[in-house]
mmCIF file of all heavy atoms in Angstrom:
data_model
loop_
_atom_site.group_PDB
_atom_site.id
_atom_site.type_symbol
_atom_site.label_atom_id
_atom_site.label_comp_id
_atom_site.label_asym_id
_atom_site.label_seq_id
_atom_site.Cartn_x
_atom_site.Cartn_y
_atom_site.Cartn_z
ATOM 1 N N ASN A 114 -11.993 -7.675 -3.473
ATOM 2 C CA ASN A 114 -13.023 -6.838 -4.118
ATOM 3 C C ASN A 114 -12.500 -5.472 -4.527
ATOM 4 O O ASN A 114 -13.190 -4.469 -4.375
ATOM 5 C CB ASN A 114 -14.218 -6.626 -3.185
ATOM 6 C CG ASN A 114 -14.913 -7.916 -2.875
ATOM 7 O OD1 ASN A 114 -14.958 -8.808 -3.720
ATOM 8 N ND2 ASN A 114 -15.420 -8.036 -1.675
ATOM 9 N N GLY A 115 -11.273 -5.420 -4.976
ATOM 10 C CA GLY A 115 -10.732 -4.145 -5.431
ATOM 11 C C GLY A 115 -10.366 -3.184 -4.318
ATOM 12 O O GLY A 115 -10.157 -1.999 -4.566
ATOM 13 N N VAL A 116 -10.281 -3.655 -3.084
ATOM 14 C CA VAL A 116 -9.895 -2.796 -1.967
ATOM 15 C C VAL A 116 -8.801 -3.485 -1.162
ATOM 16 O O VAL A 116 -8.826 -4.704 -0.992
ATOM 17 C CB VAL A 116 -11.079 -2.539 -1.012
ATOM 18 C CG1 VAL A 116 -10.762 -1.392 -0.091
ATOM 19 C CG2 VAL A 116 -12.338 -2.283 -1.767
ATOM 20 N N VAL A 117 -7.859 -2.686 -0.657
ATOM 21 C CA VAL A 117 -6.823 -3.252 0.203
ATOM 22 C C VAL A 117 -7.500 -3.780 1.456
ATOM 23 O O VAL A 117 -8.239 -3.064 2.122
ATOM 24 C CB VAL A 117 -5.810 -2.153 0.601
ATOM 25 C CG1 VAL A 117 -4.770 -2.718 1.553
ATOM 26 C CG2 VAL A 117 -5.155 -1.567 -0.621
ATOM 27 N N CYS A 118 -7.282 -5.056 1.788
ATOM 28 C CA CYS A 118 -7.901 -5.539 3.010
ATOM 29 C C CYS A 118 -6.874 -5.938 4.051
ATOM 30 O O CYS A 118 -7.193 -6.118 5.211
ATOM 31 C CB CYS A 118 -8.886 -6.663 2.738
ATOM 32 S SG CYS A 118 -8.123 -8.200 2.309
ATOM 33 N N ASP A 119 -5.626 -6.056 3.653
ATOM 34 C CA ASP A 119 -4.595 -6.388 4.634
ATOM 35 C C ASP A 119 -3.244 -6.040 4.030
ATOM 36 O O ASP A 119 -3.078 -6.045 2.813
ATOM 37 C CB ASP A 119 -4.651 -7.878 4.968
ATOM 38 C CG ASP A 119 -3.923 -8.188 6.263
ATOM 39 O OD1 ASP A 119 -3.459 -7.240 6.917
ATOM 40 O OD2 ASP A 119 -3.826 -9.375 6.616
ATOM 41 N N PHE A 120 -2.293 -5.730 4.870
ATOM 42 C CA PHE A 120 -0.957 -5.467 4.354
ATOM 43 C C PHE A 120 0.064 -5.741 5.443
ATOM 44 O O PHE A 120 -0.276 -5.819 6.619
ATOM 45 C CB PHE A 120 -0.828 -4.022 3.862
ATOM 46 C CG PHE A 120 -1.040 -2.999 4.930
ATOM 47 C CD1 PHE A 120 0.004 -2.632 5.762
ATOM 48 C CD2 PHE A 120 -2.266 -2.409 5.121
ATOM 49 C CE1 PHE A 120 -0.182 -1.699 6.761
ATOM 50 C CE2 PHE A 120 -2.456 -1.471 6.123
ATOM 51 C CZ PHE A 120 -1.410 -1.119 6.938
ATOM 52 N N ALA A 121 1.303 -5.896 5.058
ATOM 53 C CA ALA A 121 2.378 -6.045 6.041
ATOM 54 C C ALA A 121 3.644 -5.464 5.439
ATOM 55 O O ALA A 121 3.808 -5.428 4.216
ATOM 56 C CB ALA A 121 2.592 -7.513 6.392
ATOM 57 N N MET A 122 4.502 -5.006 6.293
ATOM 58 C CA MET A 122 5.766 -4.413 5.863
ATOM 59 C C MET A 122 6.865 -5.012 6.716
ATOM 60 O O MET A 122 6.611 -5.403 7.850
ATOM 61 C CB MET A 122 5.707 -2.910 6.167
ATOM 62 C CG MET A 122 5.679 -2.015 4.982
ATOM 63 S SD MET A 122 5.387 -0.361 5.569
ATOM 64 C CE MET A 122 7.017 0.309 5.443
ATOM 65 N N ASN A 123 8.079 -5.084 6.168
ATOM 66 C CA ASN A 123 9.170 -5.578 7.015
ATOM 67 C C ASN A 123 9.428 -4.570 8.119
ATOM 68 O O ASN A 123 9.324 -3.370 7.922
ATOM 69 C CB ASN A 123 10.429 -5.849 6.207
ATOM 70 C CG ASN A 123 10.946 -4.623 5.506
ATOM 71 O OD1 ASN A 123 10.196 -3.704 5.248
ATOM 72 N ND2 ASN A 123 12.215 -4.608 5.204
ATOM 73 N N THR A 124 9.721 -5.063 9.321
ATOM 74 C CA THR A 124 9.878 -4.130 10.432
ATOM 75 C C THR A 124 11.326 -3.887 10.778
ATOM 76 O O THR A 124 11.853 -2.799 10.580
ATOM 77 C CB THR A 124 9.148 -4.648 11.679
ATOM 78 O OG1 THR A 124 9.378 -6.046 11.773
ATOM 79 C CG2 THR A 124 7.685 -4.361 11.591
ATOM 80 N N VAL A 125 11.973 -4.890 11.322
ATOM 81 C CA VAL A 125 13.277 -4.620 11.908
ATOM 82 C C VAL A 125 14.437 -5.079 11.038
ATOM 83 O O VAL A 125 15.584 -4.825 11.365
ATOM 84 C CB VAL A 125 13.393 -5.293 13.288
ATOM 85 C CG1 VAL A 125 12.675 -4.462 14.327
ATOM 86 C CG2 VAL A 125 12.836 -6.692 13.264
ATOM 87 N N CYS A 126 14.163 -5.763 9.926
ATOM 88 C CA CYS A 126 15.263 -6.400 9.234
ATOM 89 C C CYS A 126 15.179 -6.110 7.741
ATOM 90 O O CYS A 126 14.117 -6.118 7.153
ATOM 91 C CB CYS A 126 15.178 -7.898 9.476
ATOM 92 S SG CYS A 126 16.307 -8.837 8.491
ATOM 93 N N ALA A 127 16.319 -5.830 7.139
ATOM 94 C CA ALA A 127 16.322 -5.511 5.721
ATOM 95 C C ALA A 127 16.880 -6.656 4.883
ATOM 96 O O ALA A 127 17.165 -6.482 3.704
ATOM 97 C CB ALA A 127 17.098 -4.234 5.467
ATOM 98 N N ALA A 128 17.074 -7.836 5.481
ATOM 99 C CA ALA A 128 17.510 -8.979 4.692
ATOM 100 C C ALA A 128 16.417 -9.256 3.670
ATOM 101 O O ALA A 128 15.249 -9.262 4.003
ATOM 102 C CB ALA A 128 17.724 -10.197 5.582
ATOM 103 N N GLY A 129 16.800 -9.470 2.446
ATOM 104 C CA GLY A 129 15.785 -9.762 1.449
ATOM 105 C C GLY A 129 15.243 -8.531 0.780
ATOM 106 O O GLY A 129 14.161 -8.542 0.224
ATOM 107 N N THR A 130 15.956 -7.428 0.799
ATOM 108 C CA THR A 130 15.510 -6.274 0.032
ATOM 109 C C THR A 130 16.568 -5.928 -1.008
ATOM 110 O O THR A 130 17.621 -6.554 -1.078
ATOM 111 C CB THR A 130 15.263 -5.051 0.928
ATOM 112 O OG1 THR A 130 16.467 -4.763 1.610
ATOM 113 C CG2 THR A 130 14.158 -5.294 1.902
ATOM 114 N N GLY A 131 16.264 -4.904 -1.785
ATOM 115 C CA GLY A 131 17.108 -4.563 -2.911
ATOM 116 C C GLY A 131 18.544 -4.236 -2.525
ATOM 117 O O GLY A 131 19.485 -4.688 -3.187
ATOM 118 N N SER A 132 18.707 -3.487 -1.432
ATOM 119 C CA SER A 132 20.072 -3.087 -1.061
ATOM 120 C C SER A 132 20.942 -4.302 -0.778
ATOM 121 O O SER A 132 22.126 -4.334 -1.088
ATOM 122 C CB SER A 132 20.085 -2.219 0.185
ATOM 123 O OG SER A 132 18.926 -1.517 0.324
ATOM 124 N N PHE A 133 20.333 -5.318 -0.189
ATOM 125 C CA PHE A 133 21.062 -6.534 0.127
ATOM 126 C C PHE A 133 21.562 -7.205 -1.159
ATOM 127 O O PHE A 133 22.729 -7.582 -1.274
ATOM 128 C CB PHE A 133 20.142 -7.467 0.922
ATOM 129 C CG PHE A 133 20.658 -8.858 1.107
ATOM 130 C CD1 PHE A 133 21.825 -9.093 1.809
ATOM 131 C CD2 PHE A 133 19.970 -9.941 0.580
ATOM 132 C CE1 PHE A 133 22.304 -10.371 1.984
ATOM 133 C CE2 PHE A 133 20.434 -11.226 0.745
ATOM 134 C CZ PHE A 133 21.605 -11.447 1.449
ATOM 135 N N LEU A 134 20.669 -7.288 -2.142
ATOM 136 C CA LEU A 134 21.064 -7.886 -3.422
ATOM 137 C C LEU A 134 22.161 -7.059 -4.089
ATOM 138 O O LEU A 134 23.115 -7.609 -4.641
ATOM 139 C CB LEU A 134 19.861 -7.969 -4.355
ATOM 140 C CG LEU A 134 18.894 -9.112 -4.114
ATOM 141 C CD1 LEU A 134 17.768 -9.048 -5.123
ATOM 142 C CD2 LEU A 134 19.596 -10.457 -4.211
ATOM 143 N N ASP A 135 21.996 -5.735 -4.018
ATOM 144 C CA ASP A 135 22.993 -4.826 -4.586
ATOM 145 C C ASP A 135 24.381 -5.131 -4.039
ATOM 146 O O ASP A 135 25.356 -5.229 -4.768
ATOM 147 C CB ASP A 135 22.634 -3.384 -4.187
ATOM 148 C CG ASP A 135 22.201 -2.554 -5.382
ATOM 149 O OD1 ASP A 135 22.187 -3.103 -6.502
ATOM 150 O OD2 ASP A 135 21.877 -1.382 -5.181
ATOM 151 N N ARG A 136 24.433 -5.277 -2.745
ATOM 152 C CA ARG A 136 25.693 -5.518 -2.053
ATOM 153 C C ARG A 136 26.330 -6.823 -2.490
ATOM 154 O O ARG A 136 27.523 -6.907 -2.752
ATOM 155 C CB ARG A 136 25.433 -5.588 -0.557
ATOM 156 C CG ARG A 136 26.187 -4.574 0.246
ATOM 157 C CD ARG A 136 25.867 -4.787 1.706
ATOM 158 N NE ARG A 136 26.784 -5.761 2.297
ATOM 159 C CZ ARG A 136 27.986 -5.444 2.748
ATOM 160 N NH1 ARG A 136 28.418 -4.225 2.676
ATOM 161 N NH2 ARG A 136 28.786 -6.368 3.272
ATOM 162 N N GLN A 137 25.467 -7.851 -2.582
ATOM 163 C CA GLN A 137 25.999 -9.162 -2.957
ATOM 164 C C GLN A 137 26.475 -9.157 -4.401
ATOM 165 O O GLN A 137 27.485 -9.783 -4.733
ATOM 166 C CB GLN A 137 24.955 -10.264 -2.732
ATOM 167 C CG GLN A 137 24.453 -10.375 -1.315
ATOM 168 C CD GLN A 137 25.560 -10.200 -0.299
ATOM 169 O OE1 GLN A 137 26.687 -10.667 -0.471
ATOM 170 N NE2 GLN A 137 25.267 -9.487 0.773
ATOM 171 N N ALA A 138 25.747 -8.431 -5.268
ATOM 172 C CA ALA A 138 26.160 -8.337 -6.659
ATOM 173 C C ALA A 138 27.541 -7.684 -6.734
ATOM 174 O O ALA A 138 28.418 -8.120 -7.478
ATOM 175 C CB ALA A 138 25.145 -7.517 -7.446
ATOM 176 N N GLU A 139 27.700 -6.676 -5.914
ATOM 177 C CA GLU A 139 28.983 -5.988 -5.872
ATOM 178 C C GLU A 139 30.096 -6.938 -5.447
ATOM 179 O O GLU A 139 31.166 -6.964 -6.034
ATOM 180 C CB GLU A 139 28.873 -4.855 -4.859
ATOM 181 C CG GLU A 139 29.469 -3.541 -5.310
ATOM 182 C CD GLU A 139 29.022 -2.431 -4.385
ATOM 183 O OE1 GLU A 139 29.678 -2.282 -3.344
ATOM 184 O OE2 GLU A 139 28.004 -1.775 -4.683
#
Side-chain angles (χ1 to χ4, degrees):
Chain A
N114 296 327
V116 195
V117 177
C118 73
D119 198 4
F120 62 84
M122 247 172 103
N123 60 336
T124 41
V125 281
C126 171
T130 58
S132 332
F133 169 63
L134 281 180
D135 248 0
R136 239 182 88 83
Q137 302 320 321
E139 224 167 84

